[in-house]
Amino acid sequence: MILRILLIAPSIAGIDAVPELRTIASVHHVMPLTGEVSAQDIYHQTREHNYHVLHFATHSHDDQVKLSGDEIFKPADVARASSLAQANLVFFNSCRSGLLASYAVRHGLAYSIYTNSDLPDAQAWKMPLSFYENLSAHSEIDYVTAFLHADVGDGIYGLVVAPQLLKDLPPISYTPEFDDVERLRRLLKKRPVKSKREYKHGNPGDSDSLL
């Protein structure tokens, strides 16, 4: 499944998002917000276009994502932008973003991926590449299975799932065995995420026309 991804990567000292952008763009339709990025830029993109995923490649800390200059994106901003874009997932490839992920999911988002610790810049592209490659290889969107296959289990990355997707499921003890991944995938497919979108402008083959 080819996804539309809004990749937010402001120019910030210590962050080189070029490898990350290239790897994701090699398998999906990516709209990059790079260079000087403001909250207004993000809101404009999410008002005008729909995306399956909002992907942040920047610095974050507890309850804020750093944009250009002194501007920050707060948890409420992430939740609003996700809603405007009708996104199902926000991927925080940024340090200590668990609070941001939890807030977004408790305020309408279906899934969010976050990091638990400082993320070495030189390694930051590896997990997203595996995650997005897994998604592109299947005809249906299955964020949980893609995450479980991409994550190496070192505790750096985490996945938050909306409570409404889990409330009717039996308890699951996760171990990195294929059978457990398949079991979780089958259970979550009881409440699938819609993957069909409507086109408002242009032709279906035009990536900018997807709503």
Side-chain angles (χ1 to χ4, degrees):
M1 180 74 178
I2 304 302
L3 306 182
R4 277 183 53 85
I5 300 169
L6 179 62
L7 193 148
I8 301 156
S11 296
I12 295 175
I15 297 288
D16 180 11
V18 172
E20 197 167 337
L21 172 59
R22 287 175 177 169
T23 55
I24 299 172
S26 69
V27 289
H28 293 287
H29 296 306
V30 174
M31 171 62 195
L33 279 180
T34 58
E36 293 293 315
V37 179
S38 66
Q40 184 177 359
D41 295 329
I42 299 171
Y43 274 112
H44 173 75
Q45 281 297 324
T46 54
R47 277 197 307 267
E48 296 298 320
H49 307 282
N50 283 8
Y51 296 93
H52 296 95
V53 182
L54 304 188
H55 183 105
F56 288 89
T58 180
H59 287 308
S60 61
H61 181 71
D62 295 332
D63 63 344
Q64 58 186 255
V65 178
K66 183 170 176 53
L67 303 178
S68 298
D70 295 326
E71 193 165 3
I72 59 174
F73 216 52
K74 302 290 284 184
D77 293 314
V78 174
R80 290 191 194 102
S82 302
S83 178
L84 286 170
Q86 297 185 25
N88 298 127
L89 170 74
V90 172
F91 194 132
F92 293 101
N93 207 31
S94 56
C95 303
R96 297 191 298 277
S97 46
L99 189 152
L100 291 156
S102 296
Y103 184 97
V105 165
R106 293 305 297 267
H107 289 78
L109 190 68
Y111 304 94
S112 187
I113 295 173
Y114 63 95
T115 60
N116 288 307
S117 60
D118 292 337
L119 189 63
D121 188 52
Q123 307 296 319
W125 58 272
K126 293 182 178 180
M127 190 277 189
L129 174 59
S130 180
F131 174 76
Y132 288 117
E133 280 185 337
N134 185 282
L135 287 169
S136 69
H138 297 87
S139 59
E140 295 183 359
I141 299 175
D142 190 342
Y143 296 122
V144 173
T145 298
F147 174 82
L148 293 176
H149 279 292
D151 184 50
V152 298
D154 56 7
I156 293 178
Y157 287 94
L159 171 69
V160 184
V161 180
Q164 61 267 28
L165 298 178
L166 297 173
K167 65 180 181 180
D168 296 329
L169 302 182
I172 296 173
S173 297
Y174 170 69
T175 58
E177 297 293 333
F178 182 76
D179 287 345
D180 288 331
V181 173
E182 287 299 299
R183 179 169 176 247
L184 184 55
R185 180 186 64 78
R186 289 194 301 270
L187 289 169
L188 283 173
K189 288 189 77 172
K190 293 179 180 178
R191 293 176 176 272
V193 175
K194 293 181 179 179
S195 60
K196 293 182 179 179
R197 300 294 182 97
E198 295 180 353
Y199 292 86
K200 185 176 180 182
H201 303 291
N203 298 316
D206 182 358
S207 62
D208 289 331
S209 67
L210 185 57
L211 291 180

